Amino acid sequence: MQKRVAITGMGVISSLGDSPATLHSSLCNGKTSIYQFDESHLNGSGGKGSGRIAAFRAQSYLRGKNLRPLDRTGQLVVAGAGLALEDSGWTPEHLAEYPVGLVLGTMFGSLHTIAKFDRHALEQGPGCASPMDFANTVINAAAGQTAIWHNLRGINSTISSGSASGLAALGYAMDLIRFAGQTAVLAGGADEFCFESFCGFEHAGMLHSSGSLELPVPFHASRTGFALGEAVGLLMLEEWETAMARGAHILAEIRGHGSAYDSSRQDRGMAVRSIVRAMADALNDAGMSPREVTCISASANGSVREDQDEAVAIQSLFNGSSQSIPITAIKSMIGETLGASGSLQAIDLVETMRSSVLPGILGLGQKDPLLPELNFCCEQQEINQCHGLVNSIGLDGNVYSLVISRGPGKT
Amino acid sequence: MDVEAIRAKVKESIFKVTGIEAATISDSAVYVAELGLDSLSILEIAVSVEEQFKFHASDEELSAIRTVDDTVELVRRRICAAVA
Amino acid sequence: MSAKPTVVVTGIGMVTSIGAGRHEFWNALLAGTCGFAPVKSFDTSAYSVHLGAEIQNFKAEDYVRTLDVNSIGRSSQLAIAAARLALADASLDLTEIDLEHAGVCGGTTSGEPQFIERFDDHYVHDELRKVGREFITGYPCHVVPCHVAMELGFSGEAMMIPTACAAGNYAIAHASDLLRARKASVMLAGGADSFSRITYTGFARLGAIAPEVCQPFDRNRKGMVPGEGAAMLLLELKDHAIARGARIYCEVAGYGLSCDAHHMTAAHPQGEGAARAIRMALDQSGIAPEEVDYISAHGTGTLTNDRLETIAVKNTFKKQAYKIPISSIKSMLGHTMGAASAIEAAVCALAITEGHIPPTVNWKEQDPECDLDYVPNVARKHNVRIAMNNAYAFGGNNSSLIFRARAV
């Protein structure tokens, strides 16, 4: 019989709060963390929003040890992991006895450190390069730092599938438990906000330009792009029986995951089909039919093409029931957090199931008429949620979907 | 520059890299055994010291550093060599 | 023994500083050919070291047919080349497979570093306006397996596992899991890294680069030599391979992964994490230590790695460690970063089918702390039924992959 995967704890640091409950409450209340980012030094581009965590202080989460070896991404992940471990009841004593794993999804790793290291060497000479910064230039650095900080000696992996990395990491970790004999794996994603990635997305024309819309609104007719954010979201995944045996509090269950890649990159039909396949594979993996899904956390972030492709795919797969399944899009408030996005969506879905309240899509008064008729939630609503689907549609054709079911006994 | 001034600057570098206050670092402190530093931190301190005093140590010189005194002596030697 | 479906290797492709494609590469390797030369891709005059293992005269246009070769970075080009070589080696007809269940899993250390290096060049010259769309479409490391998938039309999973110098093993392990779970019917798995100024600067700063030669396990070894390369293995379930009449190199018997949780750039002093990864791989494969016939070492040539790796092997295999030949091809290729363990995995598959193991070259004097049989200098005919591939990375990522000769 296939092993079941329980979620026994969660940790999040985001621009809308550093606990799952605070994040969820902010989202339900329609708070946005997207603000005008002053990037006037980036050669004149204006009017772009960002979801940077303005007041992140690593010291408030990581006490008593020297923080110099950690860069911003490292600090976020180490701090987020600490919150998730605490939430799941894994103490330092337990971690000393048992090798817990870590799977981190990230699009860029520590891009700012990579660039800073390179520029310092260019400007001052290679002899002035920082050894400590070099250790953080590998994309798996944050996962390594987190393992050192929290004594995580199990399977440690880093996954990059673009902005779908967080969900990809959750699927990868799920399979380590189901097929590779692992019993406890911390999994999720993180990406920092830095001017290098901001500049890159901005020069690629992917960011929201405030025109008729002040903020990026997924599925809106006037959407022009997304707002870049940052976050870390980590979930403790455990083999069900082992979690029960140690008396863990089971918050929810990950039932299945699916993925696909749109290798055409030009053919909209294939793009839609890849999203349909990922969702269908996730449901198939969960042993569920589309009819059983009670809520969808969409990946939509205000991107013109990807939002439409996702909507068309949802209608295609859910067909008869698509008009009734409520759909939310939390990137309307938190922005596009890249590697963290899928894990933030998963965390908020668990909170939705616990609270029976689904956040609305901020600013979506009326959906884009070009999109199919779907049940887009424009405001928070009460919901009796049993099975939710989370989508992560990357900017480069990667698609991941995850099915999460409510845990035993609502809190 | 006298030795005490060099030592003060070396301890500044140690603080910058490790957060250990200069006043708590003995002049002869052993990096690994007493300050609990790893190889990366020791190298980072050396790079910081090189930047302060504007010289580059060879790999052999760097690998010989074990204590605060070793770092101070390296700087003193290099400064004297520069002046000479 | 596990009842899980068997994953087999049916195609091998690689691009390295000593040759491209299975035959050229293997012949060069057995002959002890080294790919070291002064670095050409950037100016090393301000560095105290100058040696690298770059691939000379690589013509991406020979391999990249679908995509615009100028729109993708060098790592993607190398990965595509390795993929095309693997498919040809496997005699895989793409029109006869289910492309929606064909995936790519890659490994890397740096992804496409030239893009961020160009970004930084613009930055220091106050010319950020020259950064175009290509930075976002070309730089993030996940685009490497995506480009392979786009080139071939593979529409299953396209994933990058950037676990640095152990990444190839991680990619092959994950691809094997996907196949066993029947989420894919064929997988290309491997790794790629192109020569990086950032990587070179960092290792030079750590004093880890050898000035003249890479000599793993030798008493006088002075470090590693950064290189570049790519390798891809075509993996499928045994039934699928037999059904299409494929040639089978060997089986992927199992893997072990662990984390030291000790230090970012140095291994655990007792090789504890590495030993755990070896034991997990043996357990998962259902193989006893005395059955291992050959170990492809991580063997970078640094004082620390080679000593600690030797300790880990001795801790796990005990006295048997002295009977298992263990060689490092980094003595010839240098350290190809994310490609290294993928190339070394291919070497394991070839060792099994050819009954021949590559040497550790440039070995002159025994280090008392490295006293195993490193197959010094000369390739050796050796019957290999079980081969183990070990790889270790920054962040304490440890990996061991075991290959087994096809069951008759």
Side-chain angles (χ1 to χ4, degrees), chain A residues 226-248:
Chain A
F226 61 85
L228 185 64
E230 65 178 346
V232 57
L234 290 166
L235 297 83
M236 177 60 86
L237 306 188
E238 296 190 54
E239 192 277 318
W240 189 277
E241 299 301 328
T242 316
M244 296 279 280
R246 79 168 181 92

Side-chain angles (χ1 to χ4, degrees), chain A residues 57-67 78 86 149:
Chain A
R57 283 189 69 252
Q59 297 87 331
S60 57
Y61 304 96
L62 309 172
R63 292 187 192 83
K65 278 201 221 173
N66 177 31
L67 296 184
V78 173
E86 191 181 354
W149 197 282

Side-chain angles (χ1 to χ4, degrees), chain A residues 101-145:
Chain A
L102 171 65
V103 180
L104 184 74
T106 183
M107 180 165 178
F108 288 111
S110 297
L111 174 54
H112 182 62
T113 303
I114 292 168
K116 187 178 82 158
F117 175 87
D118 186 41
R119 290 196 292 264
H120 191 66
L122 278 179
E123 289 172 320
Q124 310 292 335
C128 295
S130 159
M132 266 187 174
D133 281 353
F134 179 56
N136 288 326
T137 61
V138 286
I139 300 162
N140 62 325
Q145 295 281 17

